[in-house]
Amino acid sequence: GKKNYKADGHPSGGVGVPGGGAVGGGGGGAVKTRKPDNTAFKQQRLPAWQPILTAGTVLPAFFIIGLIFIPIGIGIFVTSNNIREYEIDYTGTEPSSPCNKCLNVSWDSTPPCTCTINFTLEHSFESNVFMYYGLSNFYQNHRRYVKSRDDSQLNGDNSSLLNPSKECEPYRTNEDKPIAPCGAIANSMFNDTLELYRIDNDTRTPITLIKKGIAWWTDKNVKFRNPTGDGNNLTALFQGTTKPVNWPKPVYMLDSEPDNNGFINEDFIVWMRTAALPTFRKLYRLIERKNNLQPTLQAGKYSLDIAYNYPVHSFDGRKRMILSTISWMGGKNPFLGIAYITVGSICFFLGVVLLIIHHKYGNRNTSADIPN
Amino acid sequence: VYCVSKKTINNGKMTLFNNSIKTSKYNFFTFLPLNLFEQFQRIANAYFLFLLILQLIPQISSLAWFTTVVPLVLVLAVSGVKDAIDDFNRHKSDKHVNNRPVQVLINGMLKEQKWMNVQVGDIIKLENNNFVTADLLLLSSSEPHSLTYIETAELDGETNLKVKQALTVTAELGEDLQKLTEFNGEVRCEAPNNKLDKFTGTLTLRGEKYALDNEKMLLRGCTIRNTEWCFGLVIYAGPDTKLMQNSGKTTFKRTSIDRLMNVLVLVIFAFLGLMCLILAIGNGIWEHDKGYYFQVYLPWAEGVNSASYSGFLMFWSYVIILNTVVPISLYVSVEIIRLGNSFYIDWDRKMYYPLNDTPAQARTTTLNEELGQIRYIFSDKTGTLTQNIMCFNKCSINGKSYGISSGMGRESELSKAEKVDFSYNPLADPKFAFYDRSLVEAVRLNDVPAHRFFRLLSLCHTVMPEEKKEGNLVYQAQSPDEGALVTAARNFGFVFRARTPETITVVEMGETKIYKLLAILDFNNVRKRMSVIVRSPEGDLTLYCKGADTILYELLHPSCNSLKEETTEHLNEFAGEGLRTLVVAYKSLEEDYFQDWIRRHHEASTALEGREEKLSELYEEIEKDLMLLGATAIEDKLQDGVPQTIETLAKANIKIWVLTGDKQETAMNIGYSCNLLNDDMEDVFVIEGSTSDDVLNELRKKMKPDSFLDSDEINIQFEKSSKKQIIIPDEQANGVYGLVITGHSLAYALEGNLELELVRTACMCKVVICCRVTPLQKAQVVELVKKYKKAVTLAIGDGANDVSMIKTAHIGVGISGQEGMQAVLSSDFSFAQFRYLQRLLLVHGRWSYIRMCKFLKYFFYKNFAFTLVHFWYGFFSGFSAQTVYDEWFITLYNLVYTSLPVLGMSLFDQDVDDRWSMLFPQLYVPGQQNLYFNKVVFVKCMLQGIYSSLILFFIPYGAMYNTVRSDGKAIADYQSFALMAQTCLLIVVSVQIGLDTSYWTVVNQFFIWGSLSVYFAITFTMYSDGMYLIFTASFPFIGTARNTLSQPNVWLAIFLSIALCVLPVVGFRFLKAQLKPTPSDKVRRNYLIKPEILLSMAWARWGAALHRLGSAWSVSPGQELATAIVPSKKHRNPSGGGSVEPQALNTSLLH
């Protein structure tokens, strides 16, 4: 490329006075003059790199970017395509769907409405499989929803536990008791239960779903903490609070294991990390690969048992269950690959166009016809 | 107070102040409220206060309070602290001044008092080098004739000594404290005003009335010099003094970019309103269609019971969020950039003049970028184009012409002539040079007219002599012309030696003579002449007069007619050489008539009303039937580099109008010698007398016949628009023309309805010279062009007569030269030599303009790209005014993350360096045409910003839609998305600033890389465990940086956004440079690639410059170019080497 370092060009001599000649540069005299200092900064002569857009820099840049982007794009695209993903919409809006009966379920229906959906995996899932629930048309990114929480309370601050932030309104208190966890996010926590069975010759083998290790480490260990006090009895620690309005049971009864109960319940933590867009998926369970001989999920028949507690029909929401493997770049997402290939090709194409233009018109300007 | 003198003020009730002054604005308690009140009067601050109030309403608040408060408090604090420091300094200086001691006469004793306790009517004693306490009436002084010398540097900047003299009747008081105490008079004077050079009053003492004028006043701000002591009576004190009356408010000049910016801010507000409206409507619809049903999980806010009300609230919420399209830092940054670029002007060694140790000075720091847009320059001649160092060069005495001109390139002629030897005269000034022996001989042969001529020159003037050592005379002259004439007389044997108010001592051919000075009929711009009436030792009464030829010729006795003709011939010859001419005449007076006249003169001069009219009548009465003596010709040499400068500026498409008080011939000659007029011109029109519009029409017919057709665009435009708002577009004449117009015709044209015709005709000419114009006319001409051409104008001058034009033009430049400091004091920029103007405009002006334009372009771009992402997100978040970014990012984006790189660019950027700016004046033209920042450019910035914001939203959107991290955990959460979007944004705008920066100094590198590093450092800090545990509520983004920035697809999305945002810009700029290169593109490309071109270009220009210089010197108007002087290579390159270092060449070339 044509890049020049501009050296300190001007000689340091004083101002020449043509004709006059009587006065020298002045500088060295003992008398204090008002002559400005001769520093590169004050004289605006700081050495500098002056890049310019020439054919020699721009055209190669376009070609190189094109040549880099296209293979990257192909790589991403192939990677993304190799990911196994299976998705079931179990909202039950279609009358034929097994979950149609649960469509208008309410929060506090006991016993829960259950439904089972059978499905077949065409291909086996070789590596670890991740089970997600997905919601659509659910505005977890609404401003009032996003701020409707009290991070201090969730961090185990005892005063916030009993006196939650105003942001939690209208889910701050219930029957004069502070709600723990307060706010609209917690109140609307996803509470469907999903169970997966492999159907092998009419026998249903439950597949082990691991419920721990689904939240960010920082969330689980730093951001969310149970209140502290005497002993580890969560029931005592949450004394004086009440459960969120929609919840069937209080927060300290989310799980039987103490390190997955209360505010540090991972399902709760995952839910509390609000989604950026109205269509999102959240990690529900992990299915670990048992051994190297068998794929995690073989091709074949499976059934999904749903305890349908979470109503979304009233606002046209959709619920999905997703099984997916992942790659080095995360889940299945064809967008990046296609975008890279497209941008790379356009770059390359533009490079060619610019090259032609440069050849046709550029030469007449590159000659030394500086205006004068 | 036991003051014995009384003072009455004309206009009845008026409080008299004591002498304490107060320039400070605040005190300790009023500072905060007053200063805040003042600051919130600025629209930008008020706007942010309004936003802050909006944010305090809980239903609306969409951003945390600190996003607005932090920048606002910062801005308020910075200006507040600046104001506080200024005011503290003012307090200090007030206190210092008010507590200065002065001796006041109390009860017949001199007592030391503080300045602030001095009151009107007090008599005070001042000693040498004291500051004058208040405006005083001089009563008496230690010097003979109660003269008092003062220096007025603090008042008007002039450093030459001035003399004041007390009335004889008060001078008698001397330093007799008893008499002074008993002094009982009544002073009547005008109300306090700010006219420094005028005072009218009377002193009534023992029933007698005495006239008081400015000559008897010592004004506050002056310093007593060369005077042991003096007594004065306080007339005006404290705020009434002329000094304080003058420290009024100055009119603020604003640049065209300022005005454009205000318009754009309004446009942006409208745009903001539109966006908010769209989003508010969107919210209404969303709440109606979806939000209403989503209430199972998210109930409506308290008090909101309908979708439309929610939409209304959301409108204001979005106003808060989207307000960053007009960030508060815009105004602060603009000020900083202007200040920085002003400092560069102060620091430029190439605009420093070593001879009088004067650096250039940017006195106004808010106008820099307008220096890059000048289209018209209005220049004074004397002292601006010329040196204003006057040499007595030629004269005509009694019809005989003497003298050979020096300078103007006639060195061959000069070297032949020998310098006249003045050694016979011990008092001669050794620096004086004259080249014609015949005049000396005439003087030595006692030629009567020659003697009378030089006697006149030694008597008729207002010069002050200073003789510190015996025989070592120094003249203090207020006008350099007078100094030159008196010096000439001195060398020819008529030495002006001393002056008292009543006498003038002259050593005439070695013989000391004392003339009685009976009256001085002083000079002014209307009279254009001065006279003295003296009585010689022999007792003869004579009036000596010198003045402009046009005036004096009317006053001559008819008997001089033949002499008049001869002298006229000489005068024309002198003027043709560009010399300044004066005619001198005398008249013997009758004793009786004179006694009568002087009595009437006394009456008139003590009159309180109409004093000036009465006096001028008397002057006219006595100044008639004069006998012509001859004429003087004074040379005023051109300043160095004037022709080259003018040529360069002309190439930069700047039109130069010379406005001078000189006469037409002189002006035209200077025009030729400084390359304004030349023989390449089709024609040089001269308009004089009261020529009517026919002439102007005729001229236009010649220059552009088409312009009379009805079909001419401009005529059509005139028809349409009302008379007041006509803007004359540039018209191209069919050749190069020059126009010379006299003040008389100008007055005629300005009075009549010919303004338009005049401007239209004049602007078709390449050069316009207005001669014989008054200061007011100068301002009128500038105003005219401002009004009808809508062009940026610059006025440059050095004298008090240029002040009005300097103040009128968009930019006023003062030359700090020989004629005092008044022009400089009212100017925006000042320097010592005209030739620095090209550097000021072509280098500093151009850079300032380009930097400011680049700054504004980038600034609007980055804020559009930043803000509009929220707009797109609105469509995916239920129009709920949810921000895309972390609130801390919003707070810091303009203040920390992006402020320094753009400031760095705006302070250091150079598209081409100074040498190339000067070598290619055409680079200046885009600025004049406003090409780098205008409404179209702004719209382009906006579109680019909108495009970038789309990319910055949809690439992260696509990249994380329905996807997860590489460990299967969530990444599509709001916090990760926010971090991703803001990281993309910050890198994209940093790359963009890198692309815009064409001059990467260390500082730029540091700022750009530093800002990016600071972003990551701050982000990781704010999202760290520690910060969260301490301030849980403020930093909810804990862990996001670690978890998200470690993901490969986040970085893939970031690179994709950069490529998509930047590559189109690169391609577009490259194409533009290929297909439609600007001059700066060409210069950059050629010079950065092939530096050797510089050399050849420099050769070519050097040759051409010398060529033109030569022709300008050797050719007088109308003549054909005789020989073209093309210097040989050897001459050009004294070192003899074949190749010359380009820089060295340029440094010598460009000075």
Side-chain angles (χ1 to χ4, degrees), chain A residues 20-59:
Chain A
V23 174
V31 193
K32 197 184 164 219
T33 70
R34 292 159 69 201
K35 184 167 188 168
D37 300 336
N38 189 15
T39 58
F41 167 63
K42 287 190 175 180
Q43 302 307 316
Q44 305 198 63
R45 282 190 272 107
L46 286 176
W49 172 54
Q50 295 170 274
I52 45 172
L53 298 178
T54 60
T57 48
V58 173
L59 296 180

Short mmCIF file of all heavy atoms in Angstrom, two decimals, chain A residues 20-59:
data_model
loop_
_atom_site.label_atom_id
_atom_site.label_comp_id
_atom_site.label_asym_id
_atom_site.label_seq_id
_atom_site.Cartn_x
_atom_site.Cartn_y
_atom_site.Cartn_z
N GLY A 20 14.13 42.47 3.79
CA GLY A 20 14.58 43.08 5.04
C GLY A 20 15.96 42.58 5.41
O GLY A 20 16.92 43.32 5.41
N GLY A 21 16.02 41.32 5.69
CA GLY A 21 17.32 40.70 5.88
C GLY A 21 18.05 41.10 7.14
O GLY A 21 18.99 40.43 7.54
N ALA A 22 17.60 42.15 7.79
CA ALA A 22 18.38 42.65 8.91
C ALA A 22 18.22 41.76 10.14
O ALA A 22 19.11 41.65 10.95
CB ALA A 22 17.94 44.07 9.26
N VAL A 23 17.09 41.11 10.24
CA VAL A 23 16.82 40.38 11.47
C VAL A 23 16.99 38.89 11.24
O VAL A 23 16.46 38.33 10.30
CB VAL A 23 15.40 40.69 11.95
CG1 VAL A 23 15.05 39.82 13.14
CG2 VAL A 23 15.30 42.15 12.31
N GLY A 24 17.69 38.28 12.13
CA GLY A 24 17.87 36.84 12.04
C GLY A 24 16.69 36.13 12.64
O GLY A 24 15.66 36.73 12.93
N GLY A 25 16.85 34.86 12.83
CA GLY A 25 15.75 34.05 13.35
C GLY A 25 15.29 34.51 14.72
O GLY A 25 14.18 34.27 15.12
N GLY A 26 16.12 35.14 15.45
CA GLY A 26 15.69 35.69 16.73
C GLY A 26 15.88 34.75 17.89
O GLY A 26 16.46 35.11 18.88
N GLY A 27 15.46 33.52 17.73
CA GLY A 27 15.37 32.54 18.80
C GLY A 27 16.39 32.62 19.92
O GLY A 27 16.02 32.68 21.08
N GLY A 28 17.66 32.63 19.58
CA GLY A 28 18.67 32.42 20.59
C GLY A 28 18.94 33.56 21.54
O GLY A 28 19.66 33.38 22.50
N GLY A 29 18.36 34.70 21.29
CA GLY A 29 18.70 35.86 22.08
C GLY A 29 18.30 35.71 23.54
O GLY A 29 17.44 34.93 23.89
N ALA A 30 18.97 36.49 24.39
CA ALA A 30 18.65 36.42 25.80
C ALA A 30 17.34 37.14 26.08
O ALA A 30 16.65 36.84 27.04
CB ALA A 30 19.77 37.05 26.61
N VAL A 31 16.99 38.08 25.21
CA VAL A 31 15.77 38.84 25.43
C VAL A 31 14.58 37.90 25.22
O VAL A 31 14.56 37.10 24.31
CB VAL A 31 15.67 39.99 24.40
CG1 VAL A 31 14.60 40.95 24.82
CG2 VAL A 31 17.01 40.67 24.27
N LYS A 32 13.61 38.04 26.09
CA LYS A 32 12.45 37.18 25.96
C LYS A 32 11.56 37.72 24.84
O LYS A 32 11.07 38.84 24.90
CB LYS A 32 11.68 37.18 27.29
CG LYS A 32 10.73 36.01 27.35
CD LYS A 32 9.89 36.04 28.61
CE LYS A 32 8.72 35.11 28.44
NZ LYS A 32 7.50 35.65 29.00
N THR A 33 11.40 36.93 23.81
CA THR A 33 10.56 37.38 22.72
C THR A 33 9.22 36.67 22.81
O THR A 33 9.07 35.70 23.53
CB THR A 33 11.18 37.07 21.36
OG1 THR A 33 11.14 35.66 21.17
CG2 THR A 33 12.59 37.58 21.26
N ARG A 34 8.27 37.19 22.05
CA ARG A 34 6.97 36.54 22.02
C ARG A 34 6.90 35.54 20.88
O ARG A 34 5.83 35.11 20.49
CB ARG A 34 5.89 37.61 21.85
CG ARG A 34 5.76 38.50 23.09
CD ARG A 34 5.10 39.80 22.74
NE ARG A 34 3.69 39.61 22.42
CZ ARG A 34 2.97 40.47 21.71
NH1 ARG A 34 3.53 41.55 21.24
NH2 ARG A 34 1.71 40.23 21.44
N LYS A 35 8.05 35.21 20.35
CA LYS A 35 8.08 34.27 19.25
C LYS A 35 7.58 32.91 19.73
O LYS A 35 8.04 32.38 20.73
CB LYS A 35 9.51 34.13 18.75
CG LYS A 35 9.63 33.25 17.54
CD LYS A 35 11.00 33.40 16.90
CE LYS A 35 11.02 32.67 15.59
NZ LYS A 35 12.20 33.00 14.80
N PRO A 36 6.62 32.33 19.02
CA PRO A 36 6.07 31.04 19.47
C PRO A 36 7.14 29.95 19.47
O PRO A 36 8.11 30.01 18.71
CB PRO A 36 5.00 30.74 18.43
CG PRO A 36 4.68 32.05 17.81
CD PRO A 36 5.94 32.85 17.86
N ASP A 37 6.95 28.98 20.32
CA ASP A 37 7.91 27.88 20.41
C ASP A 37 7.92 27.06 19.14
O ASP A 37 6.90 26.86 18.51
CB ASP A 37 7.51 26.94 21.57
CG ASP A 37 7.49 27.69 22.88
OD1 ASP A 37 8.19 28.71 22.95
OD2 ASP A 37 6.78 27.25 23.79
N ASN A 38 9.08 26.57 18.84
CA ASN A 38 9.19 25.75 17.63
C ASN A 38 9.05 24.28 17.99
O ASN A 38 9.99 23.51 17.91
CB ASN A 38 10.54 26.02 16.97
CG ASN A 38 10.62 25.38 15.62
OD1 ASN A 38 9.60 24.99 15.06
ND2 ASN A 38 11.82 25.26 15.10
N THR A 39 7.86 23.90 18.43
CA THR A 39 7.64 22.48 18.70
C THR A 39 6.74 21.91 17.62
O THR A 39 5.94 22.63 17.03
CB THR A 39 6.95 22.27 20.06
OG1 THR A 39 5.72 23.00 20.04
CG2 THR A 39 7.80 22.79 21.20
N ALA A 40 6.93 20.64 17.36
CA ALA A 40 6.15 20.01 16.29
C ALA A 40 4.67 20.14 16.57
O ALA A 40 3.86 20.33 15.66
CB ALA A 40 6.54 18.54 16.17
N PHE A 41 4.30 20.07 17.84
CA PHE A 41 2.88 20.15 18.18
C PHE A 41 2.34 21.53 17.87
O PHE A 41 1.34 21.69 17.17
CB PHE A 41 2.70 19.82 19.66
CG PHE A 41 1.35 20.17 20.19
CD1 PHE A 41 0.21 19.54 19.68
CD2 PHE A 41 1.19 21.13 21.17
CE1 PHE A 41 -1.05 19.86 20.15
CE2 PHE A 41 -0.07 21.46 21.64
CZ PHE A 41 -1.18 20.83 21.13
N LYS A 42 3.02 22.57 18.33
CA LYS A 42 2.49 23.92 18.14
C LYS A 42 2.54 24.33 16.68
O LYS A 42 1.72 25.13 16.23
CB LYS A 42 3.28 24.91 18.99
CG LYS A 42 2.94 24.81 20.47
CD LYS A 42 3.55 25.96 21.23
CE LYS A 42 3.10 25.91 22.69
NZ LYS A 42 3.68 26.99 23.47
N GLN A 43 3.50 23.82 15.95
CA GLN A 43 3.59 24.19 14.54
C GLN A 43 2.81 23.22 13.67
O GLN A 43 2.93 23.26 12.44
CB GLN A 43 5.06 24.24 14.10
CG GLN A 43 5.90 25.22 14.91
CD GLN A 43 5.29 26.60 14.95
OE1 GLN A 43 4.83 27.10 13.94
NE2 GLN A 43 5.26 27.22 16.12
N GLN A 44 2.05 22.32 14.27
CA GLN A 44 1.24 21.34 13.56
C GLN A 44 2.08 20.52 12.60
O GLN A 44 1.72 20.30 11.45
CB GLN A 44 0.10 22.03 12.80
CG GLN A 44 -0.76 22.89 13.71
CD GLN A 44 -2.10 23.21 13.09
OE1 GLN A 44 -2.88 22.32 12.83
NE2 GLN A 44 -2.37 24.47 12.83
N ARG A 45 3.23 20.10 13.08
CA ARG A 45 4.10 19.31 12.24
C ARG A 45 4.33 17.94 12.85
O ARG A 45 5.34 17.30 12.61
CB ARG A 45 5.45 20.01 12.07
CG ARG A 45 5.44 21.14 11.08
CD ARG A 45 6.86 21.60 10.81
NE ARG A 45 7.30 22.63 11.74
CZ ARG A 45 8.17 22.43 12.72
NH1 ARG A 45 8.69 21.22 12.92
NH2 ARG A 45 8.54 23.40 13.50
N LEU A 46 3.43 17.49 13.72
CA LEU A 46 3.59 16.17 14.33
C LEU A 46 3.76 15.13 13.23
O LEU A 46 3.02 15.16 12.26
CB LEU A 46 2.36 15.83 15.17
CG LEU A 46 2.22 16.56 16.50
CD1 LEU A 46 0.90 16.19 17.15
CD2 LEU A 46 3.36 16.21 17.42
N PRO A 47 4.73 14.27 13.38
CA PRO A 47 4.86 13.24 12.35
C PRO A 47 3.59 12.41 12.31
O PRO A 47 2.99 12.14 13.35
CB PRO A 47 6.05 12.41 12.83
CG PRO A 47 6.26 12.79 14.24
CD PRO A 47 5.71 14.15 14.44
N ALA A 48 3.21 12.04 11.12
CA ALA A 48 1.91 11.35 11.03
C ALA A 48 1.91 10.36 9.87
O ALA A 48 2.64 10.51 8.90
CB ALA A 48 0.79 12.36 10.85
N TRP A 49 1.05 9.40 10.03
CA TRP A 49 0.82 8.42 8.98
C TRP A 49 -0.39 8.91 8.20
O TRP A 49 -1.42 9.23 8.78
CB TRP A 49 0.54 7.07 9.65
CG TRP A 49 0.10 6.00 8.72
CD1 TRP A 49 0.74 5.58 7.59
CD2 TRP A 49 -1.06 5.19 8.84
NE1 TRP A 49 0.05 4.57 7.00
CE2 TRP A 49 -1.07 4.30 7.75
CE3 TRP A 49 -2.11 5.12 9.77
CZ2 TRP A 49 -2.09 3.37 7.55
CZ3 TRP A 49 -3.11 4.19 9.58
CH2 TRP A 49 -3.10 3.32 8.49
N GLN A 50 -0.25 9.01 6.89
CA GLN A 50 -1.34 9.55 6.09
C GLN A 50 -1.85 8.51 5.11
O GLN A 50 -1.39 8.46 3.97
CB GLN A 50 -0.88 10.79 5.33
CG GLN A 50 -0.52 11.94 6.25
CD GLN A 50 0.15 13.05 5.49
OE1 GLN A 50 1.35 13.04 5.30
NE2 GLN A 50 -0.62 14.00 5.04
N PRO A 51 -2.77 7.68 5.56
CA PRO A 51 -3.27 6.66 4.64
C PRO A 51 -4.18 7.30 3.60
O PRO A 51 -4.91 8.24 3.90
CB PRO A 51 -4.08 5.74 5.57
CG PRO A 51 -4.47 6.60 6.71
CD PRO A 51 -3.48 7.70 6.83
N ILE A 52 -4.12 6.81 2.38
CA ILE A 52 -5.09 7.28 1.39
C ILE A 52 -5.69 6.10 0.66
O ILE A 52 -5.08 5.03 0.55
CB ILE A 52 -4.50 8.27 0.37
CG1 ILE A 52 -3.16 7.77 -0.14
CG2 ILE A 52 -4.39 9.65 0.95
CD1 ILE A 52 -2.64 8.61 -1.28
N LEU A 53 -6.88 6.31 0.18
CA LEU A 53 -7.59 5.24 -0.51
C LEU A 53 -7.14 5.20 -1.96
O LEU A 53 -7.65 5.93 -2.81
CB LEU A 53 -9.10 5.49 -0.45
CG LEU A 53 -9.72 5.51 0.94
CD1 LEU A 53 -11.21 5.82 0.85
CD2 LEU A 53 -9.51 4.19 1.63
N THR A 54 -6.16 4.38 -2.22
CA THR A 54 -5.72 4.25 -3.61
C THR A 54 -6.15 2.89 -4.12
O THR A 54 -6.56 2.02 -3.35
CB THR A 54 -4.19 4.33 -3.71
OG1 THR A 54 -3.64 3.27 -2.93
CG2 THR A 54 -3.67 5.65 -3.19
N ALA A 55 -6.02 2.74 -5.42
CA ALA A 55 -6.36 1.44 -6.01
C ALA A 55 -5.50 0.36 -5.39
O ALA A 55 -5.95 -0.78 -5.21
CB ALA A 55 -6.14 1.51 -7.52
N GLY A 56 -4.29 0.74 -5.03
CA GLY A 56 -3.37 -0.23 -4.47
C GLY A 56 -3.77 -0.74 -3.10
O GLY A 56 -3.35 -1.81 -2.68
N THR A 57 -4.59 0.01 -2.38
CA THR A 57 -5.01 -0.46 -1.05
C THR A 57 -6.44 -0.96 -1.07
O THR A 57 -6.76 -1.97 -0.45
CB THR A 57 -4.88 0.67 -0.01
OG1 THR A 57 -5.48 1.85 -0.54
CG2 THR A 57 -3.45 0.95 0.34
N VAL A 58 -7.30 -0.23 -1.79
CA VAL A 58 -8.73 -0.55 -1.71
C VAL A 58 -9.05 -1.86 -2.42
O VAL A 58 -9.73 -2.72 -1.86
CB VAL A 58 -9.57 0.61 -2.29
CG1 VAL A 58 -11.03 0.22 -2.37
CG2 VAL A 58 -9.40 1.84 -1.43
N LEU A 59 -8.56 -2.02 -3.66
CA LEU A 59 -8.92 -3.21 -4.42
C LEU A 59 -8.46 -4.49 -3.74
O LEU A 59 -9.26 -5.40 -3.55
CB LEU A 59 -8.38 -3.09 -5.85
CG LEU A 59 -8.98 -1.93 -6.64
CD1 LEU A 59 -8.41 -1.87 -8.04
CD2 LEU A 59 -10.49 -2.04 -6.69
#
